[in-house]
Short mmCIF file of all heavy atoms in Angstrom, two decimals:
data_model
loop_
_atom_site.label_atom_id
_atom_site.label_comp_id
_atom_site.label_asym_id
_atom_site.label_seq_id
_atom_site.Cartn_x
_atom_site.Cartn_y
_atom_site.Cartn_z
N ALA A 40 3.32 -11.07 4.00
CA ALA A 40 4.63 -10.70 3.28
C ALA A 40 5.71 -10.46 4.16
O ALA A 40 6.76 -10.04 3.94
CB ALA A 40 4.34 -9.40 2.37
N GLY A 41 5.34 -10.59 5.58
CA GLY A 41 6.30 -10.48 6.58
C GLY A 41 6.27 -9.14 7.24
O GLY A 41 7.23 -8.74 8.18
N PHE A 42 5.38 -8.19 7.00
CA PHE A 42 5.32 -6.85 7.64
C PHE A 42 4.74 -7.08 9.08
O PHE A 42 3.80 -7.97 9.33
CB PHE A 42 4.42 -5.89 6.88
CG PHE A 42 5.10 -5.36 5.68
CD1 PHE A 42 5.12 -6.00 4.52
CD2 PHE A 42 5.86 -4.11 5.80
CE1 PHE A 42 5.73 -5.45 3.39
CE2 PHE A 42 6.47 -3.61 4.68
CZ PHE A 42 6.51 -4.38 3.50
N THR A 43 5.18 -6.26 10.06
CA THR A 43 4.62 -6.32 11.41
C THR A 43 4.28 -4.93 11.83
O THR A 43 4.59 -3.98 11.02
CB THR A 43 5.80 -6.84 12.43
OG1 THR A 43 6.94 -5.90 12.38
CG2 THR A 43 6.30 -8.22 12.08
N ASP A 44 3.56 -4.84 12.88
CA ASP A 44 3.09 -3.40 13.38
C ASP A 44 2.40 -2.67 12.31
O ASP A 44 2.55 -1.46 12.25
CB ASP A 44 4.33 -2.70 13.95
CG ASP A 44 5.02 -3.23 14.94
OD1 ASP A 44 4.52 -3.89 15.81
OD2 ASP A 44 6.38 -3.08 15.07
N VAL A 45 1.53 -3.49 11.60
CA VAL A 45 0.70 -2.81 10.45
C VAL A 45 -0.48 -2.03 11.08
O VAL A 45 -1.15 -2.38 12.08
CB VAL A 45 0.11 -3.94 9.56
CG1 VAL A 45 -0.78 -3.27 8.54
CG2 VAL A 45 1.24 -4.82 8.97
N ARG A 46 -0.50 -0.82 10.58
CA ARG A 46 -1.57 0.04 11.03
C ARG A 46 -2.23 0.88 9.87
O ARG A 46 -1.46 1.19 8.91
CB ARG A 46 -1.29 0.90 12.29
CG ARG A 46 -0.27 1.98 11.95
CD ARG A 46 0.17 2.72 13.17
NE ARG A 46 1.01 3.71 12.92
CZ ARG A 46 0.71 4.99 12.81
NH1 ARG A 46 -0.52 5.47 12.92
NH2 ARG A 46 1.56 6.02 12.61
N ALA A 47 -3.56 1.06 9.97
CA ALA A 47 -4.14 1.94 9.01
C ALA A 47 -4.26 3.34 9.41
O ALA A 47 -4.51 3.68 10.52
CB ALA A 47 -5.65 1.27 8.78
N VAL A 48 -4.05 4.16 8.50
CA VAL A 48 -4.04 5.69 8.63
C VAL A 48 -4.86 6.35 7.62
O VAL A 48 -4.67 6.09 6.42
CB VAL A 48 -2.59 6.26 8.69
CG1 VAL A 48 -2.55 7.65 8.95
CG2 VAL A 48 -1.69 5.48 9.54
N ALA A 49 -5.74 7.09 8.07
CA ALA A 49 -6.66 7.99 7.25
C ALA A 49 -5.79 8.93 6.42
O ALA A 49 -4.84 9.59 6.97
CB ALA A 49 -7.67 8.63 7.94
N ALA A 50 -6.10 9.20 5.18
CA ALA A 50 -5.42 10.27 4.33
C ALA A 50 -5.34 11.61 5.00
O ALA A 50 -4.30 12.14 4.94
CB ALA A 50 -6.12 10.29 2.91
N GLU A 51 -6.34 11.92 5.61
CA GLU A 51 -6.47 13.28 6.39
C GLU A 51 -5.33 13.28 7.41
O GLU A 51 -4.77 14.43 7.66
CB GLU A 51 -7.80 13.53 7.01
CG GLU A 51 -8.89 13.64 5.90
CD GLU A 51 -9.41 12.40 5.40
OE1 GLU A 51 -9.09 11.29 6.03
OE2 GLU A 51 -10.20 12.35 4.49
N GLU A 52 -5.09 12.31 8.12
CA GLU A 52 -4.02 12.32 9.12
C GLU A 52 -2.73 12.52 8.41
O GLU A 52 -1.76 12.89 9.32
CB GLU A 52 -4.13 10.92 9.93
CG GLU A 52 -5.25 10.78 10.82
CD GLU A 52 -5.19 9.48 11.59
OE1 GLU A 52 -4.13 9.13 12.23
OE2 GLU A 52 -6.13 8.56 11.49
N LEU A 53 -2.49 12.24 7.37
CA LEU A 53 -1.15 12.30 6.64
C LEU A 53 -1.08 13.67 5.78
O LEU A 53 -0.19 13.91 5.04
CB LEU A 53 -0.95 11.12 5.58
CG LEU A 53 -0.77 9.85 6.34
CD1 LEU A 53 -0.76 8.67 5.43
CD2 LEU A 53 0.26 9.71 7.23
N GLY A 54 -2.10 14.42 6.06
CA GLY A 54 -2.14 15.74 5.47
C GLY A 54 -2.74 15.93 4.00
O GLY A 54 -2.56 17.01 3.38
N MET A 55 -3.37 14.77 3.51
CA MET A 55 -4.09 14.82 2.31
C MET A 55 -5.46 15.53 2.50
O MET A 55 -6.19 15.07 3.23
CB MET A 55 -4.33 13.50 1.69
CG MET A 55 -3.04 12.90 1.11
SD MET A 55 -3.47 11.27 0.35
CE MET A 55 -3.71 11.76 -1.39
#
Side-chain angles (χ1 to χ4, degrees):
F42 285 85
T43 61
D44 301 323
V45 175
R46 67 183 180 101
V48 181
E51 295 82 8
E52 290 181 53
L53 298 174
M55 285 184 93

